[in-house]
Amino acid sequence: MRGWGLVLATALLAAPAVALADPCEGALPAPGARFDGPVRYVGDGDSLCVGRSSDPSTWIEVRVSDFYAPELHSAGGRAAKTMLEDVVWRQYLQCRAIKHSYDRVVARCTIDGASVGDLLRARGGVEGGAGRGGRR
């Protein structure tokens, strides 16, 4: 039986990890377009989904343009996600699409006229993503 345990452990370690994708499936607005709605999902410290309905097929995946959080898997990443959740969860955002990046739209979003990036910095949010090394 001990041999089977080793085989099972090896098989489990060799199996591909299942990536959990965000639920945002809405069509991305064109650059320059304005869109709005409540925040329905937060993926990490600078990514979220905005949607007017409870149907994820209408939620728009947004990369916040004016804040560059640490990556979720790096030091400070989980704290950055928690801070973004605290600032935006269920808040009504008004956004302007800037460009597409991968499967999301980079957009400048505001809550009552204040940009999400400014709100995060006012709360002590620290930028530091590994990508471009600063704001986009």
Side-chain angles (χ1 to χ4, degrees):
M1 274 315 231
R2 200 159 95 180
W4 283 109
L6 181 59
V7 169
L8 180 59
T10 302
L12 290 174
L13 290 173
V18 176
L20 299 176
D22 61 67
C24 316
E25 299 175 4
L28 300 180
R34 295 185 184 280
F35 59 98
D36 55 38
V39 173
R40 302 288 184 158
Y41 174 83
V42 173
D44 61 24
D46 52 26
S47 297
L48 51 86
C49 299
V50 172
R52 287 186 175 184
S53 80
S54 60
D55 180 0
S57 72
T58 66
W59 298 355
I60 299 169
E61 186 173 0
V62 176
R63 161 64 175 91
V64 176
S65 68
D66 64 339
F67 192 85
Y68 198 71
E71 299 301 319
L72 189 58
H73 63 276
S74 67
R78 289 265 175 216
K81 177 181 178 178
T82 298
M83 181 173 289
L84 182 60
E85 288 171 334
D86 290 346
V87 169
V88 303
W89 186 245
R90 301 270 187 216
Q91 294 294 313
Y92 196 89
L93 269 60
Q94 296 179 321
C95 303
R96 183 180 51 81
I98 296 171
K99 66 180 182 176
H100 292 176
S101 176
Y102 303 103
D103 59 347
R104 59 191 176 180
V105 63
V106 177
R108 182 173 190 282
C109 297
T110 60
I111 300 171
D112 296 327
S115 81
V116 170
D118 288 346
L119 292 169
L120 289 168
R121 281 185 288 279
R123 286 255 186 119
V126 178
E127 295 181 82
R132 294 190 179 165
R135 292 183 207 168
R136 290 187 200 187

